[in-house]
Structures are given as structure tokens and as C-alpha cells.
Amino acid sequence: KLREVLPKPFRDLVVGKSSMMPLYRGTIHPLIPNMAFVGFVESVSNLHTSELRCRWMSGLLEGRFELPSVKAMMGHVAGEADAMRRTTRFYRRHCISTYSIHDSDGMCSDLGSATLRKANWIAELFAPYNNKDYKEQ
């Protein structure tokens, strides 16, 4: 359905070589200008990820950081697809489970927020992350 909405030059770019839409930070397609996708990447529980991606998009639109080059974004996406292919059975579909914390840390870093989200290093290493860890600072 998404292909029908996009203008003709971008329709064939929706799905990349890995059979996933190549989305930088799960949001920006490096080859489709002026379009973002929030909530496209699937997971069992992606509410905090979608909220963080909305805050990340807001920071981008406010000019708090700049996107890397198209080549760098495509390299980042290719690296994620390769890691998913090696580590999970979900590699044929874009899923945040493999990269959730890594991706969230990247968005926090872009926004100038702390990437270490727990109160101490023991919790940082062993306690699971949840939506409270990503509240705005």
C-alpha cells in the first residue's frame, strides 16, 4: 500500500536488498527526501521506541542535530540488516528487537541525552530497560 502513495521515482526504493525498508534510526529512508516513518518498524512492544523516535524527529526538525550523509545512513542500515540476519530469525522483516537498546542509545546521543539510562553501573549492565528509562531529561 505504501508504494501506491509514493511518487513514481521512489516506489522501487521502499524495500531494500535485505527485503526490509532501509530506515535510518528506524525513521528516515536515506533515499526518499522529506518523508519519515514512525511506527513502521514492528515489535511486540514498541511504544517507548515510537515515542523516542517522535522526539528524535522533533529534534531533527528543530535543528538540534543533522543527519549524516546518505552514504553513511545507508551503511548504518546495511550494518543493522547484517546483524539481524546473523542473530535473529526476523531478519526478513524489520524488527526492533535486535537493535532496540543500540538504536535508542543512538537517538539519545543525537539528541544530546545520556545514553546510560540507569542509576548505577550494575543496573546498567543487568536490569532491563523500559519506558521509564527514556523519560525526557
Side-chain angles (χ1 to χ4, degrees), residues 63-85:
R64 293 173 52 190
F65 62 92
E66 291 185 12
L67 291 174
S69 69
V70 169
K71 183 178 180 178
M73 287 190 285
M74 291 301 285
H76 180 87
V77 170
E80 286 182 347
D82 185 51
M84 283 187 235
R85 188 174 15 270

mmCIF file with all atom_site columns, all heavy atoms in Angstrom, residues 63-85:
data_model
loop_
_atom_site.group_PDB
_atom_site.id
_atom_site.type_symbol
_atom_site.label_atom_id
_atom_site.label_alt_id
_atom_site.label_comp_id
_atom_site.label_asym_id
_atom_site.label_entity_id
_atom_site.label_seq_id
_atom_site.pdbx_PDB_ins_code
_atom_site.Cartn_x
_atom_site.Cartn_y
_atom_site.Cartn_z
_atom_site.occupancy
_atom_site.B_iso_or_equiv
_atom_site.pdbx_formal_charge
_atom_site.auth_seq_id
_atom_site.auth_comp_id
_atom_site.auth_asym_id
_atom_site.auth_atom_id
_atom_site.pdbx_PDB_model_num
ATOM 1   N N   . GLY A 1 63 ? 16.426 21.340  14.425 1.00 0.00 ? 63 GLY A N   1
ATOM 2   C CA  . GLY A 1 63 ? 17.810 21.644  14.096 1.00 0.00 ? 63 GLY A CA  1
ATOM 3   C C   . GLY A 1 63 ? 18.788 21.331  15.218 1.00 0.00 ? 63 GLY A C   1
ATOM 4   O O   . GLY A 1 63 ? 19.899 21.857  15.240 1.00 0.00 ? 63 GLY A O   1
ATOM 5   N N   . ARG A 1 64 ? 18.418 20.469  16.163 1.00 0.00 ? 64 ARG A N   1
ATOM 6   C CA  . ARG A 1 64 ? 19.303 20.127  17.283 1.00 0.00 ? 64 ARG A CA  1
ATOM 7   C C   . ARG A 1 64 ? 20.465 19.242  16.839 1.00 0.00 ? 64 ARG A C   1
ATOM 8   O O   . ARG A 1 64 ? 21.471 19.148  17.532 1.00 0.00 ? 64 ARG A O   1
ATOM 9   C CB  . ARG A 1 64 ? 18.506 19.450  18.396 1.00 0.00 ? 64 ARG A CB  1
ATOM 10  C CG  . ARG A 1 64 ? 17.523 20.416  19.050 1.00 0.00 ? 64 ARG A CG  1
ATOM 11  C CD  . ARG A 1 64 ? 16.589 19.778  20.028 1.00 0.00 ? 64 ARG A CD  1
ATOM 12  N NE  . ARG A 1 64 ? 17.249 18.985  21.041 1.00 0.00 ? 64 ARG A NE  1
ATOM 13  C CZ  . ARG A 1 64 ? 16.599 18.194  21.886 1.00 0.00 ? 64 ARG A CZ  1
ATOM 14  N NH1 . ARG A 1 64 ? 15.286 18.088  21.824 1.00 0.00 ? 64 ARG A NH1 1
ATOM 15  N NH2 . ARG A 1 64 ? 17.255 17.491  22.774 1.00 0.00 ? 64 ARG A NH2 1
ATOM 16  N N   . PHE A 1 65 ? 20.330 18.585  15.704 1.00 0.00 ? 65 PHE A N   1
ATOM 17  C CA  . PHE A 1 65 ? 21.397 17.773  15.133 1.00 0.00 ? 65 PHE A CA  1
ATOM 18  C C   . PHE A 1 65 ? 21.137 17.643  13.642 1.00 0.00 ? 65 PHE A C   1
ATOM 19  O O   . PHE A 1 65 ? 20.070 17.993  13.164 1.00 0.00 ? 65 PHE A O   1
ATOM 20  C CB  . PHE A 1 65 ? 21.469 16.383  15.797 1.00 0.00 ? 65 PHE A CB  1
ATOM 21  C CG  . PHE A 1 65 ? 20.225 15.568  15.620 1.00 0.00 ? 65 PHE A CG  1
ATOM 22  C CD1 . PHE A 1 65 ? 20.091 14.686  14.559 1.00 0.00 ? 65 PHE A CD1 1
ATOM 23  C CD2 . PHE A 1 65 ? 19.181 15.676  16.520 1.00 0.00 ? 65 PHE A CD2 1
ATOM 24  C CE1 . PHE A 1 65 ? 18.932 13.932  14.399 1.00 0.00 ? 65 PHE A CE1 1
ATOM 25  C CE2 . PHE A 1 65 ? 18.026 14.923  16.372 1.00 0.00 ? 65 PHE A CE2 1
ATOM 26  C CZ  . PHE A 1 65 ? 17.901 14.056  15.308 1.00 0.00 ? 65 PHE A CZ  1
ATOM 27  N N   . GLU A 1 66 ? 22.132 17.200  12.911 1.00 0.00 ? 66 GLU A N   1
ATOM 28  C CA  . GLU A 1 66 ? 21.994 16.995  11.471 1.00 0.00 ? 66 GLU A CA  1
ATOM 29  C C   . GLU A 1 66 ? 22.129 15.518  11.148 1.00 0.00 ? 66 GLU A C   1
ATOM 30  O O   . GLU A 1 66 ? 22.817 14.781  11.857 1.00 0.00 ? 66 GLU A O   1
ATOM 31  C CB  . GLU A 1 66 ? 23.069 17.781  10.718 1.00 0.00 ? 66 GLU A CB  1
ATOM 32  C CG  . GLU A 1 66 ? 22.877 19.279  10.794 1.00 0.00 ? 66 GLU A CG  1
ATOM 33  C CD  . GLU A 1 66 ? 23.884 20.026  9.947  1.00 0.00 ? 66 GLU A CD  1
ATOM 34  O OE1 . GLU A 1 66 ? 24.582 19.386  9.123  1.00 0.00 ? 66 GLU A OE1 1
ATOM 35  O OE2 . GLU A 1 66 ? 23.985 21.243  10.112 1.00 0.00 ? 66 GLU A OE2 1
ATOM 36  N N   . LEU A 1 67 ? 21.486 15.111  10.083 1.00 0.00 ? 67 LEU A N   1
ATOM 37  C CA  . LEU A 1 67 ? 21.618 13.734  9.614  1.00 0.00 ? 67 LEU A CA  1
ATOM 38  C C   . LEU A 1 67 ? 22.987 13.532  9.008  1.00 0.00 ? 67 LEU A C   1
ATOM 39  O O   . LEU A 1 67 ? 23.554 14.457  8.421  1.00 0.00 ? 67 LEU A O   1
ATOM 40  C CB  . LEU A 1 67 ? 20.557 13.428  8.553  1.00 0.00 ? 67 LEU A CB  1
ATOM 41  C CG  . LEU A 1 67 ? 19.109 13.361  9.022  1.00 0.00 ? 67 LEU A CG  1
ATOM 42  C CD1 . LEU A 1 67 ? 18.177 13.194  7.824  1.00 0.00 ? 67 LEU A CD1 1
ATOM 43  C CD2 . LEU A 1 67 ? 18.916 12.229  10.011 1.00 0.00 ? 67 LEU A CD2 1
ATOM 44  N N   . PRO A 1 68 ? 23.525 12.319  9.110  1.00 0.00 ? 68 PRO A N   1
ATOM 45  C CA  . PRO A 1 68 ? 24.770 12.032  8.391  1.00 0.00 ? 68 PRO A CA  1
ATOM 46  C C   . PRO A 1 68 ? 24.514 11.979  6.887  1.00 0.00 ? 68 PRO A C   1
ATOM 47  O O   . PRO A 1 68 ? 23.359 12.085  6.446  1.00 0.00 ? 68 PRO A O   1
ATOM 48  C CB  . PRO A 1 68 ? 25.185 10.661  8.936  1.00 0.00 ? 68 PRO A CB  1
ATOM 49  C CG  . PRO A 1 68 ? 24.003 10.101  9.620  1.00 0.00 ? 68 PRO A CG  1
ATOM 50  C CD  . PRO A 1 68 ? 23.059 11.214  9.915  1.00 0.00 ? 68 PRO A CD  1
ATOM 51  N N   . SER A 1 69 ? 25.553 11.764  6.126  1.00 0.00 ? 69 SER A N   1
ATOM 52  C CA  . SER A 1 69 ? 25.400 11.680  4.668  1.00 0.00 ? 69 SER A CA  1
ATOM 53  C C   . SER A 1 69 ? 24.529 10.479  4.305  1.00 0.00 ? 69 SER A C   1
ATOM 54  O O   . SER A 1 69 ? 24.370 9.545   5.093  1.00 0.00 ? 69 SER A O   1
ATOM 55  C CB  . SER A 1 69 ? 26.769 11.533  4.006  1.00 0.00 ? 69 SER A CB  1
ATOM 56  O OG  . SER A 1 69 ? 27.320 10.257  4.315  1.00 0.00 ? 69 SER A OG  1
ATOM 57  N N   . VAL A 1 70 ? 23.986 10.511  3.088  1.00 0.00 ? 70 VAL A N   1
ATOM 58  C CA  . VAL A 1 70 ? 23.178 9.388   2.600  1.00 0.00 ? 70 VAL A CA  1
ATOM 59  C C   . VAL A 1 70 ? 24.003 8.111   2.638  1.00 0.00 ? 70 VAL A C   1
ATOM 60  O O   . VAL A 1 70 ? 23.529 7.050   3.073  1.00 0.00 ? 70 VAL A O   1
ATOM 61  C CB  . VAL A 1 70 ? 22.636 9.676   1.179  1.00 0.00 ? 70 VAL A CB  1
ATOM 62  C CG1 . VAL A 1 70 ? 22.024 8.432   0.569  1.00 0.00 ? 70 VAL A CG1 1
ATOM 63  C CG2 . VAL A 1 70 ? 21.621 10.810  1.209  1.00 0.00 ? 70 VAL A CG2 1
ATOM 64  N N   . LYS A 1 71 ? 25.262 8.196   2.223  1.00 0.00 ? 71 LYS A N   1
ATOM 65  C CA  . LYS A 1 71 ? 26.135 7.022   2.219  1.00 0.00 ? 71 LYS A CA  1
ATOM 66  C C   . LYS A 1 71 ? 26.305 6.459   3.633  1.00 0.00 ? 71 LYS A C   1
ATOM 67  O O   . LYS A 1 71 ? 26.243 5.241   3.837  1.00 0.00 ? 71 LYS A O   1
ATOM 68  C CB  . LYS A 1 71 ? 27.498 7.393   1.625  1.00 0.00 ? 71 LYS A CB  1
ATOM 69  C CG  . LYS A 1 71 ? 28.449 6.238   1.513  1.00 0.00 ? 71 LYS A CG  1
ATOM 70  C CD  . LYS A 1 71 ? 29.749 6.665   0.865  1.00 0.00 ? 71 LYS A CD  1
ATOM 71  C CE  . LYS A 1 71 ? 30.703 5.469   0.774  1.00 0.00 ? 71 LYS A CE  1
ATOM 72  N NZ  . LYS A 1 71 ? 31.953 5.830   0.124  1.00 0.00 ? 71 LYS A NZ  1
ATOM 73  N N   . ALA A 1 72 ? 26.512 7.329   4.608  1.00 0.00 ? 72 ALA A N   1
ATOM 74  C CA  . ALA A 1 72 ? 26.675 6.890   6.000  1.00 0.00 ? 72 ALA A CA  1
ATOM 75  C C   . ALA A 1 72 ? 25.382 6.270   6.533  1.00 0.00 ? 72 ALA A C   1
ATOM 76  O O   . ALA A 1 72 ? 25.417 5.249   7.228  1.00 0.00 ? 72 ALA A O   1
ATOM 77  C CB  . ALA A 1 72 ? 27.111 8.051   6.882  1.00 0.00 ? 72 ALA A CB  1
ATOM 78  N N   . MET A 1 73 ? 24.235 6.881   6.208  1.00 0.00 ? 73 MET A N   1
ATOM 79  C CA  . MET A 1 73 ? 22.959 6.308   6.658  1.00 0.00 ? 73 MET A CA  1
ATOM 80  C C   . MET A 1 73 ? 22.721 4.947   6.032  1.00 0.00 ? 73 MET A C   1
ATOM 81  O O   . MET A 1 73 ? 22.282 4.009   6.710  1.00 0.00 ? 73 MET A O   1
ATOM 82  C CB  . MET A 1 73 ? 21.802 7.258   6.333  1.00 0.00 ? 73 MET A CB  1
ATOM 83  C CG  . MET A 1 73 ? 21.755 8.487   7.214  1.00 0.00 ? 73 MET A CG  1
ATOM 84  S SD  . MET A 1 73 ? 20.234 9.453   7.036  1.00 0.00 ? 73 MET A SD  1
ATOM 85  C CE  . MET A 1 73 ? 20.500 10.248  5.460  1.00 0.00 ? 73 MET A CE  1
ATOM 86  N N   . MET A 1 74 ? 23.009 4.801   4.739  1.00 0.00 ? 74 MET A N   1
ATOM 87  C CA  . MET A 1 74 ? 22.829 3.508   4.073  1.00 0.00 ? 74 MET A CA  1
ATOM 88  C C   . MET A 1 74 ? 23.777 2.463   4.659  1.00 0.00 ? 74 MET A C   1
ATOM 89  O O   . MET A 1 74 ? 23.407 1.303   4.826  1.00 0.00 ? 74 MET A O   1
ATOM 90  C CB  . MET A 1 74 ? 23.031 3.639   2.564  1.00 0.00 ? 74 MET A CB  1
ATOM 91  C CG  . MET A 1 74 ? 21.941 4.440   1.858  1.00 0.00 ? 74 MET A CG  1
ATOM 92  S SD  . MET A 1 74 ? 20.277 3.764   2.049  1.00 0.00 ? 74 MET A SD  1
ATOM 93  C CE  . MET A 1 74 ? 20.351 2.360   0.946  1.00 0.00 ? 74 MET A CE  1
ATOM 94  N N   . GLY A 1 75 ? 24.983 2.866   5.010  1.00 0.00 ? 75 GLY A N   1
ATOM 95  C CA  . GLY A 1 75 ? 25.929 1.953   5.655  1.00 0.00 ? 75 GLY A CA  1
ATOM 96  C C   . GLY A 1 75 ? 25.434 1.498   7.016  1.00 0.00 ? 75 GLY A C   1
ATOM 97  O O   . GLY A 1 75 ? 25.556 0.327   7.381  1.00 0.00 ? 75 GLY A O   1
ATOM 98  N N   . HIS A 1 76 ? 24.860 2.439   7.763  1.00 0.00 ? 76 HIS A N   1
ATOM 99  C CA  . HIS A 1 76 ? 24.296 2.112   9.085  1.00 0.00 ? 76 HIS A CA  1
ATOM 100 C C   . HIS A 1 76 ? 23.163 1.098   8.948  1.00 0.00 ? 76 HIS A C   1
ATOM 101 O O   . HIS A 1 76 ? 23.112 0.107   9.673  1.00 0.00 ? 76 HIS A O   1
ATOM 102 C CB  . HIS A 1 76 ? 23.797 3.405   9.748  1.00 0.00 ? 76 HIS A CB  1
ATOM 103 C CG  . HIS A 1 76 ? 23.207 3.208   11.098 1.00 0.00 ? 76 HIS A CG  1
ATOM 104 N ND1 . HIS A 1 76 ? 23.973 3.218   12.232 1.00 0.00 ? 76 HIS A ND1 1
ATOM 105 C CD2 . HIS A 1 76 ? 21.938 2.986   11.493 1.00 0.00 ? 76 HIS A CD2 1
ATOM 106 C CE1 . HIS A 1 76 ? 23.192 3.013   13.277 1.00 0.00 ? 76 HIS A CE1 1
ATOM 107 N NE2 . HIS A 1 76 ? 21.955 2.872   12.850 1.00 0.00 ? 76 HIS A NE2 1
ATOM 108 N N   . VAL A 1 77 ? 22.270 1.344   8.011  1.00 0.00 ? 77 VAL A N   1
ATOM 109 C CA  . VAL A 1 77 ? 21.132 0.450   7.773  1.00 0.00 ? 77 VAL A CA  1
ATOM 110 C C   . VAL A 1 77 ? 21.617 -0.925  7.319  1.00 0.00 ? 77 VAL A C   1
ATOM 111 O O   . VAL A 1 77 ? 21.113 -1.958  7.774  1.00 0.00 ? 77 VAL A O   1
ATOM 112 C CB  . VAL A 1 77 ? 20.161 1.068   6.745  1.00 0.00 ? 77 VAL A CB  1
ATOM 113 C CG1 . VAL A 1 77 ? 19.117 0.074   6.315  1.00 0.00 ? 77 VAL A CG1 1
ATOM 114 C CG2 . VAL A 1 77 ? 19.512 2.319   7.315  1.00 0.00 ? 77 VAL A CG2 1
ATOM 115 N N   . ALA A 1 78 ? 22.614 -0.959  6.447  1.00 0.00 ? 78 ALA A N   1
ATOM 116 C CA  . ALA A 1 78 ? 23.157 -2.242  5.972  1.00 0.00 ? 78 ALA A CA  1
ATOM 117 C C   . ALA A 1 78 ? 23.783 -3.017  7.122  1.00 0.00 ? 78 ALA A C   1
ATOM 118 O O   . ALA A 1 78 ? 23.640 -4.243  7.206  1.00 0.00 ? 78 ALA A O   1
ATOM 119 C CB  . ALA A 1 78 ? 24.178 -2.000  4.862  1.00 0.00 ? 78 ALA A CB  1
ATOM 120 N N   . GLY A 1 79 ? 24.454 -2.328  8.020  1.00 0.00 ? 79 GLY A N   1
ATOM 121 C CA  . GLY A 1 79 ? 25.043 -2.976  9.195  1.00 0.00 ? 79 GLY A CA  1
ATOM 122 C C   . GLY A 1 79 ? 23.987 -3.582  10.100 1.00 0.00 ? 79 GLY A C   1
ATOM 123 O O   . GLY A 1 79 ? 24.149 -4.692  10.626 1.00 0.00 ? 79 GLY A O   1
ATOM 124 N N   . GLU A 1 80 ? 22.887 -2.847  10.299 1.00 0.00 ? 80 GLU A N   1
ATOM 125 C CA  . GLU A 1 80 ? 21.780 -3.380  11.107 1.00 0.00 ? 80 GLU A CA  1
ATOM 126 C C   . GLU A 1 80 ? 21.174 -4.610  10.449 1.00 0.00 ? 80 GLU A C   1
ATOM 127 O O   . GLU A 1 80 ? 20.901 -5.608  11.118 1.00 0.00 ? 80 GLU A O   1
ATOM 128 C CB  . GLU A 1 80 ? 20.698 -2.320  11.294 1.00 0.00 ? 80 GLU A CB  1
ATOM 129 C CG  . GLU A 1 80 ? 21.060 -1.234  12.264 1.00 0.00 ? 80 GLU A CG  1
ATOM 130 C CD  . GLU A 1 80 ? 19.929 -0.233  12.446 1.00 0.00 ? 80 GLU A CD  1
ATOM 131 O OE1 . GLU A 1 80 ? 18.959 -0.246  11.649 1.00 0.00 ? 80 GLU A OE1 1
ATOM 132 O OE2 . GLU A 1 80 ? 20.018 0.558   13.386 1.00 0.00 ? 80 GLU A OE2 1
ATOM 133 N N   . ALA A 1 81 ? 20.959 -4.547  9.141  1.00 0.00 ? 81 ALA A N   1
ATOM 134 C CA  . ALA A 1 81 ? 20.367 -5.685  8.426  1.00 0.00 ? 81 ALA A CA  1
ATOM 135 C C   . ALA A 1 81 ? 21.286 -6.899  8.524  1.00 0.00 ? 81 ALA A C   1
ATOM 136 O O   . ALA A 1 81 ? 20.815 -8.025  8.735  1.00 0.00 ? 81 ALA A O   1
ATOM 137 C CB  . ALA A 1 81 ? 20.114 -5.317  6.965  1.00 0.00 ? 81 ALA A CB  1
ATOM 138 N N   . ASP A 1 82 ? 22.592 -6.689  8.418  1.00 0.00 ? 82 ASP A N   1
ATOM 139 C CA  . ASP A 1 82 ? 23.535 -7.797  8.526  1.00 0.00 ? 82 ASP A CA  1
ATOM 140 C C   . ASP A 1 82 ? 23.508 -8.400  9.929  1.00 0.00 ? 82 ASP A C   1
ATOM 141 O O   . ASP A 1 82 ? 23.496 -9.623  10.085 1.00 0.00 ? 82 ASP A O   1
ATOM 142 C CB  . ASP A 1 82 ? 24.946 -7.310  8.180  1.00 0.00 ? 82 ASP A CB  1
ATOM 143 C CG  . ASP A 1 82 ? 25.946 -8.432  8.165  1.00 0.00 ? 82 ASP A CG  1
ATOM 144 O OD1 . ASP A 1 82 ? 25.683 -9.453  7.489  1.00 0.00 ? 82 ASP A OD1 1
ATOM 145 O OD2 . ASP A 1 82 ? 26.983 -8.303  8.840  1.00 0.00 ? 82 ASP A OD2 1
ATOM 146 N N   . ALA A 1 83 ? 23.477 -7.553  10.955 1.00 0.00 ? 83 ALA A N   1
ATOM 147 C CA  . ALA A 1 83 ? 23.406 -8.054  12.336 1.00 0.00 ? 83 ALA A CA  1
ATOM 148 C C   . ALA A 1 83 ? 22.111 -8.825  12.562 1.00 0.00 ? 83 ALA A C   1
ATOM 149 O O   . ALA A 1 83 ? 22.118 -9.871  13.213 1.00 0.00 ? 83 ALA A O   1
ATOM 150 C CB  . ALA A 1 83 ? 23.517 -6.895  13.322 1.00 0.00 ? 83 ALA A CB  1
ATOM 151 N N   . MET A 1 84 ? 21.002 -8.340  12.030 1.00 0.00 ? 84 MET A N   1
ATOM 152 C CA  . MET A 1 84 ? 19.733 -9.048  12.181 1.00 0.00 ? 84 MET A CA  1
ATOM 153 C C   . MET A 1 84 ? 19.771 -10.393 11.464 1.00 0.00 ? 84 MET A C   1
ATOM 154 O O   . MET A 1 84 ? 19.265 -11.389 11.983 1.00 0.00 ? 84 MET A O   1
ATOM 155 C CB  . MET A 1 84 ? 18.573 -8.199  11.653 1.00 0.00 ? 84 MET A CB  1
ATOM 156 C CG  . MET A 1 84 ? 18.166 -7.105  12.597 1.00 0.00 ? 84 MET A CG  1
ATOM 157 S SD  . MET A 1 84 ? 16.690 -6.291  12.013 1.00 0.00 ? 84 MET A SD  1
ATOM 158 C CE  . MET A 1 84 ? 17.251 -4.619  11.990 1.00 0.00 ? 84 MET A CE  1
ATOM 159 N N   . ARG A 1 85 ? 20.375 -10.425 10.310 1.00 0.00 ? 85 ARG A N   1
ATOM 160 C CA  . ARG A 1 85 ? 20.470 -11.666 9.533  1.00 0.00 ? 85 ARG A CA  1
ATOM 161 C C   . ARG A 1 85 ? 21.273 -12.716 10.313 1.00 0.00 ? 85 ARG A C   1
ATOM 162 O O   . ARG A 1 85 ? 20.970 -13.893 10.299 1.00 0.00 ? 85 ARG A O   1
ATOM 163 C CB  . ARG A 1 85 ? 21.113 -11.375 8.182  1.00 0.00 ? 85 ARG A CB  1
ATOM 164 C CG  . ARG A 1 85 ? 21.105 -12.508 7.207  1.00 0.00 ? 85 ARG A CG  1
ATOM 165 C CD  . ARG A 1 85 ? 21.620 -12.166 5.806  1.00 0.00 ? 85 ARG A CD  1
ATOM 166 N NE  . ARG A 1 85 ? 22.355 -10.937 5.584  1.00 0.00 ? 85 ARG A NE  1
ATOM 167 C CZ  . ARG A 1 85 ? 21.815 -9.756  5.250  1.00 0.00 ? 85 ARG A CZ  1
ATOM 168 N NH1 . ARG A 1 85 ? 20.508 -9.627  5.095  1.00 0.00 ? 85 ARG A NH1 1
ATOM 169 N NH2 . ARG A 1 85 ? 22.562 -8.693  5.059  1.00 0.00 ? 85 ARG A NH2 1
#
